[in-house]
Amino acid sequence: MSNEVLHAHAEAITVHGDHHEHHHQETFISKYVFSQDHKMIAKQFLITGMVWAVLGGLMSVLFRLQLGYPDAHFTWLEDILGKWWVKDGRITPEAYYALVTTHGTVLVFFVLTAGLSGTFANFLIPLQIGARDMASPFMNMLSYWFFFTASIVMISSMFVETGPFSGGWTAYPPLSALGSASPGSKTGMDLWLIAMALFVVSSLLGGLNYIATVLNMRTKGMSMTRLPLTIWALFFTAVLGVLSFPVLFSGFILLIFDRNFGTSFYLSDIYVNGVGALQNEGGSAILYQHLFWFLGHPEVYIILLPAMGMVSEILSTNARKPIFGYMAMVGSMFAIAVLAFLVWAHHMFVTGLNPFLGSVFVLLTLLIAVPSAIKVFNWLTTLWKGNIRFTPGMLFAIGFVSLFISGGLTGIYVGNSALDIHLHDTYFVIAHFHIVMGVASMFGMFAGIYHWFPKMYGRYLNNTLAYIHFWVTLVGAYLIFWPMHYEGLAGMPRRYYDYSTWESFKQFADLNRFISIVAMIVFATQILFLFNFFYSIFKGRIVTKQNPWNSNTLEWTTPIRPGHGNWPGEIPEVHRWAYDYGKDGKEFIPQTTPVGAEESQH
Amino acid sequence: MSQNISINSIPTASLSSRNKIHPQKFMLWMGIGSICMMFAGLTSAYIVKRNQGNWLEFDIPVYFWYSTLVIMLSSITIQFAVKAFKERAMQKYKALVTITAILGIVFSYLQWIGFSFLNNHGIQLIGRGSNPAASFLFVIMLLHIVHVIGGVMALLIIFFKAFSSKIKTYSSISIELAATYWHFVDLLWIYLFIFFYLIK
Ligand code: HEM
Ligand SMILES: [Cu+2]
């Protein structure tokens, strides 16, 4: 397609703009299944992500049962799940490891990467930059269907005879490379690798599209420095993904060769019980860790950045104040994106890493605290003396800030190699990353859902249920993960099946039971949220205001239920940034309002 | 042509307002960046592993010199193909695209011969007893071949599309995209070749 053709056609659209939606007949399949409308694809990502969140959450409830009640016998579970998973009323060790592994993989990649950035990048990028759709709607659709296929493959691994992969979400060799080393490393691992490879393809297709769209398809007047922070965040997220997922992929390829073609990239001098000494020589298991964490660390920011962006947007909108330090926010996201590539070895302090090299990584790691602190400062100053509306979205956004502070602080502990020698692979790390990444990003996601649900479905979520959801989840998250810091400081290792047999950790029996109980309550509360979500899609209070939150951004200038193409007429032109709240005595000034002559500059 | 463009693929307001880089070209460049990261990951893994010892040193077979010549030649032919298309010399264009695709296949074949040469001369590439040095070479070059074959397929698709549809297309974008990609896999090979030549 040449530019000239595009131009000619573009003019044709503006002329007949108001009835373009009737141009093509939409069938059920093209509207709901193989849709190329970014809004529908966003919903597909969201709902698939939710299904995964429920499954992944359920897995954690199951292994928390084991940790909280190591001596109990839940015979009824055996009837539900079958002998492989539960024997004699106890989760079997194989099942325990399978659950922990799948929980981690699914939550990190399928829920918080695909479910979070897949949903909101798709939904918000075209709407907030003023585009009719993505640069390539077709690739966008492919991105979802690759994710869907990955999901199916991952689910199917739950049903193979030897069980799903059970070597931890990081899939370190040699365990992951040798089928003879553990039942979970047989077919389950093959399926895990296939699912992850498909997932990487999906992320790349999505990411390329998001970047191209943000850079090329902004409406008139929407300069980069007028972009809402959500878009900046989603943009950096996509850049991180496009640059780091291929490296993970190369790590996987070498792993596949080691598993199936007898190479020794990661294997050397191994003795497997019952099999004997292996022939493999010359490989290095640490090599995999380098390749994995080169993605792995950017990945945690891939998860967090979209949440940061949405939170900035929601805080500013609901505090009725401009975001504090817009350029500092963009700059710190840029700094985070750059530093994210330079710190991966902080996951490897105890692998025999050269201590001098280790200290370089300590320095770079602690540097991330600077942009992180800038962001926190800006969020707090945005809230400061704001005229705050405590909508559910706002509450979750504030909760995000709280969690990010708590979890970021423990990052400084583990970021010091001297301390990390003690803390590595203990519950302290579990607490650190669940608070700063897991729960915080979940809160960002909830904030986004509550805030943009009216735009997605033309209805409101129920507020009472939302408030219950918020408070139980916030308090519950702290009750679950805060005590884990103490367990970790006491040296309690992660990924063990049963701590009650250890003299040093017997003291935590009650605490572990407490954590398990809270985890179940929090899980039940998420079901409440799901009920609210699906009920409100059909029966929620109908949105009658085009701009229910009195927000400045472009998505609220579309019709309440926008069709394919988003704006029925011409795409509006943008005249200002997105954060003119409370300016010159006006409560809010949408981006589409031209700058008045007597207006003060921002 | 026009019915191929669906409403949503058109960056209406933006294209008319600004002279931005073509979205598809841009996406190709991003994709190239992403492929570069993959090979950067693999070649750095190679260096890291090499520094850890237990490393087999061997010379690169001469076939890889031949394949280098072949792929460089194909870069020239595809460039002429783009030129021919723009001049609407369709017969010439057809011939050049065909030659390029064939050269791509010849390249892959020569790589394969190089592999067997190594295997037959005691450098086992994969399987029991193989050394990572040789396995790395094999896996990295194999991945590169996959990318070359991808380019060949793209050429074939463009080729048949251009001549099967009734509507005449005057847009050279597809062949330009293919050419950019082709030059990229060419350069990528030259990088890999020098890399394996120098770092044994
Ligand atoms: C001030 C900022 C931060 C610092 C200095 C920091 C540092 C670290 C270090 C050194 C570790 C390795 C601990 C160990 O395994 O012994 C770690 C683990 C981890 N961090 Fe952070 N972190 C920070 C923020 C974050 C953020 C913002 C996220 C996510 C959004 C995150 C996610 C994770 C995850 C997922 C792990 C554990 C991975 C695993 O072993 O399974 N961290 N962090
Ligand atoms: Cu990290």
Side-chain angles (χ1 to χ4, degrees):
Chain A
M1 236 181 282
S2 73
N3 276 358
E4 297 81 79
V5 178
L6 280 180
H7 276 300
H9 203 79
E11 269 153 41
I13 291 167
T14 19
V15 178
H16 309 291
D18 15 14
H19 35 148
H20 74 265
E21 282 154 66
H22 311 294
H23 278 338
H24 32 191
Q25 286 297 327
E26 288 196 306
T27 63
F28 180 83
I29 297 277
S30 76
K31 181 155 183 218
Y32 293 104
V33 186
F34 295 109
S35 170
Q36 297 194 20
D37 182 350
H38 70 100
K39 299 186 291 300
M40 183 54 69
I41 297 175
K43 291 174 194 170
Q44 292 174 328
F45 268 110
L46 180 58
I47 290 177
T48 317
M50 282 173 153
V51 172
W52 271 120
V54 173
L55 290 175
L58 207 58
M59 290 174 200
S60 70
V61 167
L62 285 174
F63 66 68
R64 271 321 309 184
L65 270 184
Q66 161 62 23
L67 293 173
Y69 302 89
D71 310 316
H73 295 267
F74 304 99
T75 33
W76 50 272
L77 263 180
E78 203 166 325
D79 302 332
I80 303 175
L81 296 173
K83 278 257 179 309
W84 192 88
W85 297 88
V86 185
K87 208 180 259 160
D88 199 17
R90 292 186 64 182
I91 311 275
T92 63
E94 294 80 30
Y96 176 81
Y97 288 113
L99 287 170
V100 176
T101 302
T102 317
H103 165 81
T105 310
V106 157
L107 262 295
V108 166
F109 293 107
F110 289 21
V111 179
L112 290 175
T113 305
L116 177 55
S117 76
T119 302
F120 287 101
N122 267 306
F123 192 73
L124 293 179
I125 289 178
L127 281 174
Q128 288 198 332
I129 67 171
R132 299 224 180 264
D133 207 309
M134 288 284 175
S136 167
F138 178 72
M139 258 170 69
N140 211 22
M141 177 184 84
L142 275 189
S143 160
Y144 173 74
W145 286 102
F146 268 100
F147 169 50
F148 184 83
T149 320
S151 299
I152 298 292
V153 177
M154 190 61 90
I155 290 200
S156 69
S157 82
M158 310 297 294
F159 298 99
V160 296
E161 200 186 336
T162 44
F165 177 52
S166 51
W169 78 278
T170 51
Y172 284 175
L175 187 55
S176 61
L178 299 170
S180 53
S182 127
S185 301
K186 295 188 166 75
T187 322
M189 182 56 187
D190 290 325
L191 294 172
W192 190 91
L193 277 171
I194 296 171
M196 287 305 298
L198 290 168
F199 182 83
V200 169
V201 175
S202 153
S203 299
L204 290 176
L205 288 173
L208 293 179
N209 226 333
Y210 307 151
I211 298 172
T213 310
V214 172
L215 290 183
N216 285 313
M217 302 189 39
R218 302 187 308 279
T219 183
K220 201 166 175 207
M222 181 65 91
S223 60
M224 288 300 274
T225 47
R226 282 180 183 164
L227 284 177
L229 287 170
T230 21
I231 303 301
W232 271 110
L234 291 164
F235 174 71
F236 284 125
T237 305
V239 173
L240 284 179
V242 164
L243 294 180
S244 64
F245 271 113
V247 180
L248 178 74
F249 197 69
S250 55
F252 283 166
I253 287 170
L254 300 184
L255 187 57
I256 290 172
F257 270 85
D258 272 6
R259 287 175 58 77
N260 301 312
F261 302 104
T263 53
S264 309
F265 292 112
Y266 303 135
L267 303 171
S268 194
D269 307 311
I270 293 167
Y271 181 88
V272 180
N273 225 354
V275 181
L278 302 186
Q279 281 208 334
N280 302 77
E281 239 184 275
S284 153
I286 308 288
L287 194 60
Y288 174 87
Q289 297 197 18
H290 281 296
L291 292 171
F292 181 87
W293 286 115
F294 191 84
L295 158 97
H297 188 82
E299 168 66 18
V300 306
Y301 282 101
I302 289 173
I303 288 174
L304 195 67
L305 280 170
M308 288 178 154
M310 291 193 291
V311 161
S312 308
E313 179 71 26
I314 294 168
L315 283 181
S316 171
T317 306
N318 289 299
R320 314 309 291 155
K321 273 182 66 190
I323 190 83
F324 189 89
Y326 174 87
M327 281 319 278
M329 286 302 221
V330 176
S332 54
M333 280 196 275
F334 177 71
I336 287 177
V338 173
L339 284 171
F341 283 110
L342 303 175
V343 300
W344 78 92
H346 66 211
H347 296 272
M348 301 167 60
F349 285 142
V350 297
T351 56
L353 189 76
N354 176 330
F356 174 72
L357 203 59
S359 65
V360 174
F361 276 103
V362 170
L363 181 72
L364 290 167
T365 299
L366 296 184
L367 273 181
I368 290 204
V370 176
S372 307
I374 293 176
K375 298 199 75 85
V376 168
F377 179 80
N378 288 353
W379 286 321
L380 295 179
T381 35
T382 302
L383 286 174
W384 181 253
K385 292 192 172 165
N387 190 4
I388 298 179
R389 300 184 307 208
F390 289 103
T391 62
M394 181 64 163
L395 285 178
F396 275 100
I398 298 173
F400 169 92
V401 177
S402 156
L403 289 157
F404 182 68
I405 296 174
S406 313
L409 287 176
T410 53
I412 298 176
Y413 288 65
V414 284
N416 284 284
S417 53
L419 289 175
D420 191 53
I421 291 172
H422 179 62
L423 296 172
H424 178 67
D425 262 350
T426 67
Y427 266 72
F428 194 91
V429 175
I430 304 284
H432 159 67
F433 75 74
H434 274 90
I435 291 184
V436 75
M437 174 181 78
V439 189
S441 302
M442 272 290 181
F443 268 54
M445 189 162 166
F446 286 133
I449 294 174
Y450 282 107
H451 191 77
W452 279 289
F453 191 87
K455 191 78 252 162
M456 286 183 174
Y457 293 102
R459 293 178 187 264
Y460 292 100
L461 286 159
N462 178 293
N463 270 352
T464 315
L465 291 182
Y467 290 132
I468 299 173
H469 178 217
F470 170 74
W471 285 109
V472 177
T473 310
L474 182 76
V475 174
Y478 272 115
L479 289 180
I480 292 171
F481 294 113
W482 199 264
M484 289 188 188
H485 290 111
Y486 302 116
E487 298 183 333
L489 285 170
M492 190 167 122
R494 66 194 275 202
R495 291 183 172 145
Y496 279 36
Y497 173 60
D498 184 354
Y499 295 92
S500 64
T501 53
W502 294 65
E503 207 47 55
S504 351
F505 309 124
K506 273 191 180 149
Q507 49 168 328
F508 292 126
D510 292 335
L511 189 55
N512 277 335
R513 190 162 323 122
F514 171 76
I515 292 176
S516 296
I517 293 170
V518 182
M520 283 178 252
I521 295 173
V522 170
F523 180 76
T525 313
Q526 308 314 305
I527 303 295
L528 193 72
F529 163 73
L530 285 183
F531 169 76
N532 191 357
F533 184 87
F534 288 105
Y535 181 82
S536 303
I537 289 179
F538 302 105
K539 294 276 162 64
R541 192 157 53 87
I542 291 180
V543 176
T544 48
K545 276 178 69 184
Q546 195 186 16
N547 188 356
W549 311 123
N550 290 341
S551 177
N552 287 342
T553 37
L554 281 184
E555 74 271 30
W556 306 106
T557 62
T558 60
I560 292 175
R561 288 164 177 270
H564 199 172
N566 297 337
W567 285 269
E570 260 186 86
I571 300 180
E573 189 180 335
V574 164
H575 300 278
R576 58 179 74 237
W577 73 335
Y579 300 103
D580 274 338
Y581 292 106
K583 187 186 180 196
D584 297 340
K586 290 207 194 74
E587 204 204 340
F588 70 108
I589 315 176
Q591 284 190 280
T592 47
T593 314
V595 180
E598 69 288 5
E599 208 173 300
S600 59
Q601 275 301 311
H602 65 248
Chain B
M1 182 67 197
S2 62
Q3 76 254 39
N4 288 343
I5 312 173
S6 73
I7 185 101
N8 35 36
S9 62
I10 295 167
T12 333
S14 53
L15 262 189
S16 41
S17 65
R18 238 174 286 183
N19 228 352
K20 286 177 192 160
I21 177 167
H22 190 282
Q24 282 163 314
K25 279 190 188 163
F26 181 78
M27 254 193 255
L28 178 68
W29 281 108
M30 292 292 308
I32 286 176
S34 172
I35 298 173
C36 282
M37 285 306 289
M38 184 165 97
F39 282 92
L42 286 166
T43 45
S44 6
Y46 178 94
I47 293 174
V48 170
K49 181 72 232 15
R50 177 175 170 271
N51 293 340
Q52 290 173 351
N54 203 339
W55 190 252
L56 183 72
E57 274 191 35
F58 56 91
D59 285 324
I60 287 196
V62 67
Y63 298 101
F64 293 148
W65 284 94
Y66 302 154
S67 62
T68 310
L69 281 178
V70 169
I71 201 167
M72 283 164 81
L73 190 63
S74 72
S75 253
I76 300 174
T77 53
I78 200 166
Q79 204 48 44
F80 278 114
V82 176
K83 199 162 156 264
F85 186 94
K86 286 193 175 150
E87 288 162 358
R88 314 224 60 77
M90 293 326 260
Q91 284 310 321
K92 207 168 142 199
Y93 164 74
K94 257 188 197 175
L96 283 164
V97 168
T98 317
I99 293 173
T100 311
I102 292 174
L103 287 176
I105 293 166
V106 171
F107 168 84
S108 313
Y109 181 67
L110 283 172
Q111 300 293 81
W112 202 257
I113 297 194
F115 293 151
S116 353
F117 178 87
L118 283 174
N119 241 343
N120 296 339
H121 288 75
I123 315 282
Q124 201 189 333
L125 298 176
I126 54 171
R128 284 176 154 221
S130 58
N131 185 282
S135 310
F136 259 121
L137 180 125
F138 176 67
V139 170
I140 294 175
M141 289 191 182
L142 189 70
L143 275 175
H144 177 260
I145 294 178
V146 169
H147 285 86
V148 173
I149 301 289
V152 172
M153 308 246 256
L155 278 186
L156 291 182
I157 292 173
I158 293 169
F159 191 76
F160 286 112
K161 252 199 175 160
F163 292 100
S164 65
S165 79
K166 286 175 206 83
I167 309 145
K168 273 234 157 61
T169 161
Y170 295 99
S171 158
S172 59
I173 188 74
S174 309
I175 182 70
E176 278 177 41
L177 290 173
T180 309
Y181 177 78
W182 198 270
H183 294 321
F184 163 68
V185 285
D186 181 4
L187 282 177
L188 180 60
W189 167 251
I190 292 172
Y191 159 70
L192 292 176
F193 183 70
I194 296 174
F195 179 86
F196 283 115
Y197 188 77
L198 293 181
I199 307 173
K200 294 188 212 177

